[in-house]
Structure formats: C-alpha cells, structure tokens
Amino acid sequence: MELNAKIPVGLLESKWKTYKSTVKLVNPANKRNIEIIIVGTGLAGASAAASLGELGYKVKAFCFQDSPRRAHSIAAQGGINAAKNYQNDGDSVYRLFYDTIKGGDYRAREANVYRLAEVSANIIDQCVAQGVPFAREYGGLLSNRSFGGTQVQRTFYAAGQTGQQLLLGAYSALERQVALGNVQMFTRHEMLDVVKIDGKARGIIARDLISGKIERHSGHAVLLCTGGYGNVFFLSTNAMGSNVTAAWKAHKKGAYFGNPCFTQIHPTCIPVSGDHQSKLTLMSESLRNDGRIWVPKKQNDNRKPNEIPEEERDYYLERRYPAFGNLVPRDVASRAAKERCDAGYGVGASKMAVYLDYASAIERYGKVEANKHGLVNPSKDKIIELGKDVVKEKYGNLFDMYAKITGENPYEVPMRIYPAVHYTMGGLWVDYELMTTVPGLYALGEANFSDHGANRLGASALMQGLADGYFVIPYTIGNYLSNEIKTGHISTDHPAFAEAEKEVTDTLNKFISIKGKKSVDHFHKALGKIMWDKCGMARNEQGLKEAIEEIRALRNEFWSNVFVPGGLDELNPELEKAGRVADFIELGELMCKDALNRNESCGGHFREEYQDEDGETLRDDEAYKYVAAWEYLSASESSLHKEDLIYENIKIAARNYK
C-alpha cells in the first residue's frame, strides 16, 4: 500500500481553511442514519462523541472504566497550550507551529502541526464557554505560564488539575448528547477487535467486563481514542489500565503503526522507591516554570539539600542551556538528569534523582507580595510566608501530592525528581483526515502519531486531544461518510462479525486454558525491565538486538506458562490484563525493531552511537527524515513503509536551546 497523507495543496496557512470550505458534507437528514463507534472517552473521545452527536450522527461510545470521568486525561496537570498571545510576548500561530516542529526534532508533518496551532485558540474559547475554571489574573483575564521548549507564556491552566477540569467540560458536553439520545454510552466495555467488511472498518467486538459477554457492534466508521502505550514499560506515569490493545488489534487488521520507538521520558517524576511499585507519579512540568533544578557539585554528596551552600550547587540546566534554562524540552532535560546521576552526582537514597528547588521562587514571590501590601522592611519569615501563599495558589495540589507520597514538605526542602516514561509520540499512522490505512478507521489524540514528531512539548497533549475531537474530526469524517449514505444499516449477522468474535473467544479461552505457573504481572514486569534497560532513555544496537531476542523468548514463555485464574463469563481483571500484556509483548518487539532501524538520535529516541561531543542528539536528515509506518505481517514480522517528511516552511537545523 502506498501511503497517501492527503495533505491539501496550497499555502500552509490556508490549507485547513480551504479544506473546510471544499470538503464533502453529509446533510442533516442523512446524518441520522449514519452510525459511528468511538472507543475511548478521554479528551479526544469525549470531545469527538459530543461534537459528532451534536451534528446529528448516531454515536456509540465505549470506555473500560465505570465512567468517562475516569479516563487517564484527568492525570494531565500543568496546562494546555494555545496561541492566544494574551501576554503580548511575541506568540503567534506560526511560533507555536515552529516550536512544536523544532521541539519534535523535525520529525513531524508540517500540515498537521500548523492545523493544530491554528485551532488551539478555538479550544480555549470552547472550554471557557463550557465553564472550565482556568486560572485568571487579578483583573479577570486568563492567566498563562511557561512550559518547556518555548520562550513565551502560552500555557493555560487550572491550578495543577487542568486535565481533570478539561475532561469535566468534555464530559458535560458528552452527557448532554447522551441525554438527548444522540450518543449511547457503553461503560465497562473493552474493544477486543476491529471488524472489516470489504476492506472497510464496519464495527468492533467488545467484551462486557462485568458479565464477560462478548458483543458485536456495527458502525459506518470506527474512531479509536484510546491513548498511548507507555505501560509497555510496566512502570510509567500512565494509569495502570492504560493499554495498547485497541490500537494493536487495529494494527493486526491492517492499520500501519507509525514511529513506535518515539517514547517520551518526562523529567519531572517522583523517583522509583522499590520493587513494590506498580506505577510512577508525575510532578507537573509546570513546576519547572518556577522551580530550579540542581545537583551537588561534589560527587556522592550525602548532605541534606539545605546544608549545601549555594556555591556548591550545580544548576546544570541553567549552566548548559542559558537561553532556556530549566525550560528546555523534556527529552533534553531528561537526558541531562540521567547524565548527572550516571556521573555520580545523583541525590537521595538511590542516587538516581536530582533536586527541584522552590526556595528562590518563594522568596521572589514573597518580595512581590510584600511590595503589593506596602510592607516596609518585612522580615525574611514574612517574605517566605507570603511567597508560600503564592506558590500554594499556583501549585498547591501538586505540593500536597508530593508530601503525601514522600512524607517530605516541598515548601521546606527541595523535591527529588527523576525521568520516567510518560507519553508516546508513536501511534497508528493517520493521514491529514486522521484516517488510518484501513478505510473508515480513524485514530485521534495520543492513539495516533501525527502531531509531535520525536518529542512532545509540554502542555500539547491536551491541545491535540481536544483539537482532534472538537475541531478536526467533525469536518474530516464527513469526507468519508458522504460516500456511505447508501450503505444502510450494517448487520452484525455478517460472517465477518462471526469470524472476529470467534477469534476473540478463542484467544480468551487460550488464556484460561494455559494454567501455567507465573502471573500476568510477572511477564509484564519482565517486559518492562527489558524495555527500560534496552529501549528506554538510551538505546544502542547491541542492546536492541538483545532485547528483540529476549522479548521473543518471553512471548513463548508467556503463551506456555502464564496463569490466568477465574473464568470467561464473569468479572475477571486478570483476564483483561492477560490480553493487554500479550499485546504489549508484541508491541515491545516492534518498538525495538523501529529503534534499531533508526540509526540516528532525535528527540526521545536517543541512540548512544549518535551523539555529539556535548552529548546532544545527532540526527541524520538525509537518511531518516521520514515517518516509519510499520505493516503487521505476523507476531515477529513487520514490513516498513516510509512517508517522507517535506519541510517547505521551516528550515531544518540542529536543535539549539543554548
């Protein structure tokens, strides 16, 4: 299959406007006869379901949680980007576009990224209209703060719970459509396969997670809004239920997988504390807005942080990257932290952590507040008290979360942080219309590869999810559905549904029947260790080759020695996990293949063989300026297809944040 990105012709700034003005439409009477299946109800899925329901389509929405409000989107803390230029600091649609392309190390598609920047301003207006309580300045204007990879303030936020507030806005819009009868909601359901008829996506096979019943659902189009696959590493900042199953089943049915090795390591996470952990906790990147990151200048320094004088501290990001300082992109900050810890300057019991310090910010804010209140020669204690109040207002819930987890007061002592797996830039390959290589099958939000290249800038995940759901798919899906009006209702009695259901049932029965001696979690942890050690923050040829062989051996052992208790026709969380881990194992091998194929370093993909004398990434634009789109052939065989990336509006250069 030849990849066709369907990028509109014309000037970059007019592509989306022209597309919307000329795209095929479906009239209101016909929309009532067209059924759309949406899998996943986080920001992308909930906004898409609400928007398509509002347009008059018949929508079925599925989530494996007991409510769409529990989608992992709620975990996003720091904010959402938009090119509003409220601060009058030089921001623009083009600058957001440029920062995103550069931040992604020139491995993203220009047209998609510009569209994302273009509709970003609309997202804020939409969410304000829904009642999302964005932070505001004293005069009532919406507040902004800085995030990594930029030199402007364009991040809108709601304290440290932006994702939750945005999801509540999308959820309210979704529930309105449910009440009107335009959207039918299926909670506690997991999609286990895509059904294709005559090459087109025509429905899904889902399992009711309470009763265990296997169900058939038909539709004229299927939208996958199921998030990323960071849990392939076992330990990540993702919710424990986050998985790749929906995307992977689509991949096995013909949807190409784009750039699977592009994994984001977030620099601001609470460090691993022991083998007992099942997930890691993210401390928002917004904390780098005011916090300063440092390590002792002396190796293996065991003093408490407040005992180390200022002149003996290495603010290494400010030293290495003076232009951006603590706000360098995530991949740059993560590698810098790893380098300092590997060199023996790490802190904490494990020595695999660095400090995130708020003392300077507290003092700075305290002095500003003292001036506001007209205080003359205030004491240092009063300044600190006032400064803490300001920090609490901006980041209080994040500080509380850190204190509960670590037992330490971050207002008094620096936080300890270390990089961890967070977001995945790879995902199902989609064209400009967000359609995969399977006609009628779409992927939105983190489930697709389209907007971030090799590294995602902070506060852009929420932006992409809502852009895709509210402002992109309502237009682009009509171009496909306008040709489906004559199809009529799709019956689930079609042999394709029976065949897909049998495949699903046979696989579930296989899990139950193995009766091995090792738990599902045993295999998940084993896979995660392989992936982190050999396809994590740093990769090399030998390690990737070893990882591929180790994963293949692990897969063989899994299918012969896993133990899944319970039965099929009941609530069985271990059975759910077994299916997800089986998919993670196959995905893990593909990720290693993709990383092995890409003989360069770019963004989150850091090959140790390809770095300059300062430890920065060395891209190979001549050989690897493309999207790697992998076609599934078998569990261990894939075929690589390439979408060349053409830059007509941005001059490619080495990323420089110094």
Side-chain angles (χ1 to χ4, degrees):
M1 178 185 295
E2 186 173 332
L3 293 172
N4 179 9
K6 300 179 186 174
I7 299 172
V9 298
L11 297 174
L12 182 67
E13 58 269 21
S14 63
K15 287 182 187 294
W16 180 234
K17 182 179 180 180
T18 302
Y19 177 93
K20 290 191 296 181
S21 301
T22 57
V23 70
K24 294 179 181 177
L25 301 176
V26 180
N27 79 48
N30 287 328
K31 286 174 182 171
R32 291 192 289 269
N33 298 317
I34 291 179
E35 299 170 295
I36 300 173
I37 290 173
I38 297 177
V39 184
T41 51
L43 285 181
S47 59
S51 300
L52 295 174
E54 185 74 41
L55 286 172
Y57 292 107
K58 295 170 65 177
V59 178
K60 287 183 177 181
F62 295 79
C63 72
F64 63 72
Q65 300 95 344
D66 58 356
S67 167
R69 289 175 298 174
R70 294 190 184 275
H72 183 56
S73 298
I74 67 167
Q77 301 161 335
I80 176 171
N81 288 331
K84 284 283 198 180
N85 195 31
Y86 282 174
Q87 305 298 319
N88 196 29
D89 55 2
D91 201 10
S92 65
V93 168
Y94 182 86
R95 194 174 293 278
L96 175 53
F97 157 71
Y98 176 82
D99 287 345
T100 304
I101 292 284
K102 177 184 175 183
D105 224 348
Y106 304 95
R107 292 293 178 265
R109 189 190 288 154
E110 273 195 345
N112 286 66
V113 176
Y114 192 88
R115 176 176 64 188
L116 176 65
E118 190 176 353
V119 305
S120 66
N122 297 338
I123 297 171
I124 304 303
D125 296 340
Q126 171 90 1
C127 294
V128 169
Q130 290 174 337
V132 173
F134 286 120
R136 294 178 182 269
E137 303 292 355
Y138 179 77
L141 299 177
L142 295 182
S143 181
N144 291 118
R145 56 190 179 200
S146 299
F147 259 63
T150 71
Q151 292 179 305
V152 297
Q153 295 185 73
R154 65 161 66 101
T155 303
F156 295 78
Y157 63 98
Q161 50 183 265
T162 312
Q164 181 173 352
Q165 297 301 330
L166 291 172
L167 185 63
L168 287 173
Y171 171 75
S172 65
L174 168 61
E175 287 301 304
R176 177 174 180 271
Q177 295 306 313
V178 172
L180 291 172
N182 297 327
V183 176
Q184 188 177 4
M185 192 70 228
F186 293 84
T187 58
R188 301 297 287 153
H189 279 67
E190 182 166 29
M191 182 200 117
L192 294 180
D193 209 354
V194 174
V195 179
K196 288 170 59 178
I197 299 176
D198 297 329
K200 297 180 178 181
R202 292 303 195 191
I204 65 170
I205 303 297
R207 180 172 180 265
D208 183 326
L209 298 180
I210 302 297
S211 67
K213 181 183 177 183
I214 304 300
E215 301 176 359
R216 305 176 183 182
H217 295 274
S218 64
H220 296 87
V222 176
L223 278 57
L224 301 185
C225 311
T226 49
Y229 49 87
N231 276 352
V232 68
F233 292 88
F234 186 71
L235 285 180
S236 81
T237 66
N238 289 189
M240 290 180 64
S242 299
N243 63 84
V244 77
T245 288
W248 195 252
K249 300 304 185 189
H251 176 52
K252 295 175 81 166
K253 283 295 178 73
Y256 291 2
F257 213 104
N259 297 335
C261 80
F262 285 168
T263 307
Q264 179 158 88
I265 312 296
H266 197 295
T268 319
C269 300
I270 297 179
V272 175
S273 60
D275 293 338
H276 63 282
Q277 283 185 271
S278 55
K279 77 175 298 294
L280 297 174
T281 303
L282 171 70
M283 300 307 296
S284 169
E285 181 175 323
S286 63
L287 293 175
R288 290 200 280 145
N289 192 63
D290 284 310
R292 299 180 72 193
I293 295 171
W294 62 276
V295 293
K297 289 183 178 180
K298 186 174 72 174
Q299 290 178 317
N300 300 310
D301 193 330
N302 293 318
R303 289 177 292 175
K304 295 179 179 179
N306 290 345
E307 296 174 354
I308 301 175
E310 189 73 15
E311 64 271 14
E312 295 182 33
R313 301 180 179 189
D314 178 15
Y315 295 91
Y316 58 90
L317 290 177
E318 298 172 33
R319 169 173 56 82
R320 292 178 60 177
Y321 308 101
F324 283 74
N326 296 295
L327 288 173
V328 291
R330 291 175 175 178
D331 61 315
V332 177
S334 294
R335 282 194 298 275
K338 181 179 186 297
E339 183 275 328
R340 287 290 80 191
C341 291
D342 289 348
Y345 297 95
V347 301
S350 68
K351 299 298 182 185
M352 297 302 288
V354 299
Y355 288 129
L356 176 60
D357 197 333
Y358 258 74
S360 295
I362 288 172
E363 184 174 354
R364 183 178 74 252
Y365 282 127
K367 290 178 178 178
V368 172
E369 288 299 300
N371 287 332
K372 281 184 182 178
H373 290 83
L375 300 180
V376 180
N377 296 323
S379 67
K380 186 171 183 180
D381 287 345
K382 183 61 177 179
I383 289 174
I384 291 175
E385 177 189 342
L386 292 170
K388 285 180 179 178
D389 288 342
V390 176
V391 170
K392 185 174 183 179
E393 183 178 344
K394 285 176 172 283
Y395 311 105
N397 63 312
L398 300 173
F399 277 56
D400 292 344
M401 183 169 64
Y402 182 88
K404 287 179 180 179
I405 292 172
T406 66
E408 299 174 355
N409 183 349
Y411 293 101
E412 305 292 341
V413 296
M415 299 181 192
R416 285 173 287 106
I417 58 169
Y418 192 71
V421 172
H422 180 52
Y423 186 94
T424 49
M425 284 75 67
L428 294 178
W429 184 92
V430 294
D431 59 23
Y432 188 75
E433 297 181 334
L434 305 185
M435 188 187 288
T436 70
T437 49
V438 175
L441 179 66
Y442 295 80
L444 282 64
E446 193 180 357
N448 74 41
F449 88 98
S450 65
D451 289 355
H452 306 297
N455 173 65
R456 178 176 68 81
L457 292 183
S460 288
L462 305 183
M463 177 174 63
Q464 185 202 354
L466 292 179
D468 287 355
Y470 281 139
F471 298 110
V472 178
I473 199 66
Y475 287 96
T476 63
I477 199 170
N479 204 37
Y480 174 77
L481 293 177
S482 63
N483 297 317
E484 297 297 315
I485 296 169
K486 298 179 181 179
T487 301
H489 176 70
I490 299 165
S491 173
T492 56
D493 293 332
H494 192 282
F497 279 90
E499 181 181 348
E501 182 179 337
K502 183 179 184 304
E503 289 179 10
V504 167
T505 304
D506 289 348
T507 301
L508 295 174
N509 278 315
K510 174 69 172 175
F511 289 137
I512 297 291
S513 67
I514 293 172
K515 302 295 183 186
K517 296 182 179 180
K518 295 182 178 178
S519 69
V520 175
D521 275 350
H522 165 84
F523 290 99
H524 197 177
K525 288 180 180 180
L527 173 66
K529 180 169 176 52
I530 295 170
M531 295 299 296
W532 178 250
D533 289 346
K534 298 178 178 178
C535 194
M537 214 182 319
R539 303 103 185 255
N540 59 60
E541 181 179 0
Q542 179 182 343
L544 290 167
K545 288 180 177 178
E546 291 172 355
I548 291 170
E549 295 305 315
E550 291 171 15
I551 292 171
R552 288 175 177 173
L554 186 69
R555 183 177 70 246
N556 291 336
E557 185 185 2
F558 175 88
W559 284 106
S560 62
N561 200 26
V562 71
F563 175 67
V564 180
L568 295 179
D569 302 325
E570 61 185 15
L571 175 64
N572 190 342
E574 288 301 305
L575 181 59
E576 299 169 33
K577 286 197 292 184
R580 296 166 187 171
V581 171
D583 295 329
F584 276 140
I585 291 173
E586 292 185 5
L587 167 68
E589 182 176 339
L590 181 62
M591 291 172 67
C592 293
K593 286 180 180 177
D594 189 39
L596 184 61
N597 169 76
R598 193 171 282 275
N599 293 314
E600 65 166 351
S601 288
C602 59
H605 169 63
F606 187 70
R607 282 283 295 271
E608 293 174 340
E609 305 96 320
Y610 306 101
Q611 56 181 302
D612 64 19
E613 61 274 9
D614 295 324
E616 305 294 344
T617 56
L618 278 181
R619 296 194 321 266
D620 184 347
D621 296 324
E622 289 295 322
Y624 296 100
K625 193 179 60 176
Y626 61 75
V627 178
W630 293 89
E631 178 184 7
Y632 181 89
L633 301 178
S634 70
S636 286
E637 292 183 76
S638 301
S639 177
L640 174 62
H641 303 259
K642 301 176 182 179
E643 177 201 342
D644 291 331
L645 292 170
I646 301 171
Y647 291 98
E648 298 176 330
N649 300 275
I650 280 183
K651 181 180 179 181
I652 297 180
R655 281 198 304 170
N656 182 5
Y657 293 98
K658 296 179 179 181

